[in-house]
Amino acid sequence: MSAIKTESLIIRGENNVEMQKFVINGGNPLKGDIWVSGAKNSAVAILPAVLLLDVPCIIENVPDISDVKICLKILKGLGADVRPIGDKGDTYWISCKKVSDYYVPYEEAKKMRASYYFLGALLGRCGNAWAAMPGGCPLGARPIDQHLKAFEILGAKQIISDKASDIVELHAEQLQGDVISMDVVSVGATMNAILAAVKAKGTTIIENAAKEPHIVDLANFLNYMGARIKGAGTDTIKIKGVDKLAGNAGEGSAVDYRYPVVPDQIEAGTFMIAAAVTRGDVFIKGVIPKHLEAITAKLRDAGVNVEELEDEDTVHVFVKENVLFQPVNIKTEPYPGFPTDMQPQMAVLLTLADGQSTITENVWEDRFRYVKELAKMSAKIDITQNGALVHGSANLQGADVEACDLRAGAAMIIAGLAANGQTSITDIRHIERGYADIAGKLRGIGADIAKISPEKD
Ligand code: UD1
């Protein structure tokens, strides 16, 4: 196997972003310790939530990913004072005292899905919000009707100046708590309802709420700062509105309010599968094993050993010699079900299993764009009505493939690590939206992976 001699070609910085790629020489069993960063889906909600605070705060364990950079840019654009602190690059001191604007810059909102959290946070802060319809991964129709329904129930009026416009503009004289019964279980709509309700008058009840760990994390953060949210993590969340979010010591105190973002369950799951497909032996550190239960259960069914070391915030993943991966049927569901964000990565493991597996995708309608890329690597997967049939026993071969979206890109990396020969992955900007230094982290446990960019002229 040829080592990649690419250090001189790696350009750090934002030049040639479109041309950057990951090159992987597959076949190395991953071994050692790997650390998980803070959760993307938590950080992208907690950072906008800082707009609701009446005191500065420090957010720790913030992942170094492009979606977070966009959030921080939007905050600064709105007038927030954002200062990186410490030497780990994952901690920010943020004060929103001088924020007087409520226009989220159009270009930034279009770059990521989570920009919609600025709608709830700005509405909760000042009763006004203006943003473009959010962008993000192409996973099929991504409506925000439940977000808008929640805002309207709380008393916001949506202004549509032009039917063709993709701008959401909201105004409320006074947000008033009420019962919000979600028609579908939505992570984003539940978070946005919390953001808008936390300073509303009276009590809000969110029924049919999503239960993801990042929803609990957002509620924990807001409660730490003085909110009164109960039931996060169940399907009914009760919020008593408060006038101020100024922590226990109150405004003007010298207390440093510090809150660490919860570990990223999807990044952890991605490393678990990378360890499995390479028949490695990896300790995935800084995790909450409970959040990984659905992934752990399916990996065990497939013949992978997973030990939960609760006291050490670690899961240990390894594959015994001569074990053949077993086929497993996967159905994606809201938490605590199997996460849709792990479906493409799991599909790679299933291409190696000894038999046929089925995947049923219940959350997103267009989450199989990665199938044609995996086919280039000799995987055999048939798309079915709302899922896929994965034929096992593939002998994955390195190929030139594309990261169609964030998790599809993670699946390409996993496939490249398991394949014979060299895999080159383009469009890695999708991957960098959600994984902090994934190549560096994987190199640390023995992967032969490099990020390459053509030299500047
Ligand atoms: C979040 C995650 C995303 C993950 C998804 C499911 C962020 C920024 N993104 O996305 O990575 O894949 O959860 O775990 O946190 N729906 C509606 N109307 C709405 C909202 C959603 O019909 O107003 C539907 C969607 O079409 C989808 C389902 O509800 O079928 C789930 O969507 P939702 O949980 O809202 O996903 P996001 O919050 O966008």
Side-chain angles (χ1 to χ4, degrees):
M1 180 180 312
S2 63
I4 304 170
K5 297 190 180 65
T6 48
E7 281 304 318
S8 63
L9 293 180
I10 296 173
I11 298 174
R12 298 178 208 285
E14 291 186 35
N15 298 313
N16 292 339
V17 169
E18 302 289 318
M19 307 293 289
Q20 289 174 334
K21 56 186 183 179
F22 287 133
V23 175
I24 302 169
N25 285 307
N28 289 3
L30 302 182
K31 289 202 163 115
D33 296 353
I34 191 165
W35 286 87
V36 166
S37 301
K40 160 187 167 288
N41 289 346
S42 216
V44 295
I46 286 177
L47 291 171
V50 173
L51 285 163
L52 292 160
L53 306 187
D54 298 283
V55 289
C57 73
I58 294 167
I59 310 294
E60 300 170 331
N61 203 30
V62 178
D64 185 14
I65 54 175
S66 56
D67 271 14
V68 157
K69 290 191 178 110
I70 296 167
C71 273
L72 294 172
K73 200 167 167 187
I74 294 175
L75 275 174
K76 284 186 207 162
L78 290 167
D81 187 356
V82 179
R83 301 179 199 169
I85 58 172
D87 52 11
K88 283 164 66 190
D90 68 350
T91 304
Y92 294 88
W93 178 93
I94 306 172
S95 167
C96 292
K97 203 173 168 187
K98 297 202 175 120
V99 171
S100 56
D101 205 349
Y102 60 84
Y103 290 88
V104 178
Y106 185 91
E107 287 304 319
E108 305 310 326
K110 279 288 174 201
K111 282 184 195 155
M112 66 164 185
R113 190 78 197 146
S115 58
Y116 53 38
Y117 293 129
F118 283 93
L119 287 170
L122 285 164
L123 193 61
R125 176 188 173 90
C126 62
N128 298 304
W130 184 102
M133 287 287 284
C137 282
L139 306 176
R142 300 193 74 174
I144 61 163
D145 57 300
Q146 297 303 301
H147 305 234
L148 298 176
K149 170 180 151 173
F151 297 148
E152 280 177 17
I153 288 174
L154 295 174
K157 298 257 176 303
Q158 194 191 343
I159 303 202
I160 304 172
S161 44
D162 166 4
K163 275 199 182 135
S165 156
D166 63 352
I167 301 297
V168 182
E169 183 168 359
L170 300 160
H171 297 288
E173 287 293 318
Q174 170 65 65
L175 292 168
Q176 177 69 49
D178 206 331
V179 177
I180 302 167
S181 188
M182 298 287 179
D183 301 326
V184 293
V185 179
S186 159
V187 174
T190 302
M191 301 263 235
N192 248 337
I194 293 173
L195 291 167
V198 83
K199 283 181 147 181
K201 285 264 171 277
T203 301
T204 299
I205 294 171
I206 307 172
E207 295 174 346
N208 201 22
K211 303 177 205 152
E212 267 68 359
H214 26 292
I215 290 170
V216 178
D217 203 28
L218 174 68
N220 285 346
F221 167 63
L222 290 167
N223 282 343
Y224 169 62
M225 296 308 301
R228 296 176 69 193
I229 306 168
K230 281 193 174 158
T234 75
D235 56 13
T236 306
I237 300 176
K238 194 168 173 186
I239 304 162
K240 285 194 177 156
V242 293
D243 292 336
K244 293 250 174 213
L245 286 177
N248 291 335
E251 272 176 283
S253 77
V255 174
D256 270 350
Y257 292 101
R258 286 181 169 266
Y259 189 84
V261 173
V262 80
D264 196 309
Q265 104 211 75
I266 305 300
E267 187 193 20
T270 301
F271 294 152
M272 290 167 83
I273 295 180
V277 296
T278 61
R279 307 188 74 86
D281 187 339
V282 177
F283 291 85
I284 298 147
K285 314 215 59 126
V287 302
I288 298 175
K290 174 135 190 64
H291 293 171
L292 304 170
E293 274 174 356
I295 304 163
T296 297
K298 288 296 173 187
L299 284 178
R300 284 180 177 154
D301 289 350
V304 178
N305 282 77
V306 183
E307 289 174 356
E308 296 170 351
L309 311 173
E310 290 281 351
D311 294 347
E312 299 166 41
D313 303 332
T314 297
V315 285
H316 177 202
V317 179
F318 60 101
V319 178
K320 287 197 184 128
E321 222 176 321
N322 302 326
V323 161
L324 276 181
F325 294 130
Q326 294 306 304
V328 169
N329 297 331
I330 301 289
K331 243 194 293 175
T332 68
E333 277 162 353
Y335 188 84
F338 191 87
T340 173
D341 283 358
M342 285 302 301
Q343 185 259 100
Q345 302 90 312
M346 192 68 187
V348 177
L349 177 85
L350 298 180
T351 66
L352 305 175
D354 186 26
Q356 286 188 347
S357 306
T358 60
I359 297 176
T360 310
E361 173 56 62
N362 290 318
V363 181
W364 300 116
E365 63 194 28
D366 188 15
R367 197 149 212 179
F368 290 99
R369 287 152 45 106
Y370 66 87
V371 165
K372 74 174 186 342
E373 300 305 307
L374 281 184
K376 295 176 189 165
M377 301 180 72
S378 303
K380 290 195 176 51
I381 306 177
D382 297 328
I383 306 283
T384 56
Q385 207 180 0
N386 63 339
L389 179 65
V390 185
H391 303 276
S393 307
N395 185 10
L396 294 178
Q397 300 297 325
D400 291 350
V401 294
E402 194 188 315
C404 315
D405 61 59
L406 168 56
R407 307 305 171 185
M412 293 306 125
I413 291 182
I414 291 171
L417 293 171
N420 297 312
Q422 196 170 81
T423 296
S424 167
I425 306 171
T426 52
D427 240 348
I428 65 170
R429 66 198 160 92
H430 287 301
I431 301 173
E432 297 191 327
R433 283 191 33 234
Y435 291 90
D437 188 23
I438 190 163
K441 286 189 185 187
L442 289 170
R443 271 199 301 274
I445 52 172
D448 187 345
I449 174 170
K451 178 176 163 182
I452 296 179
S453 170
E455 297 278 12
K456 282 186 283 180
D457 292 337

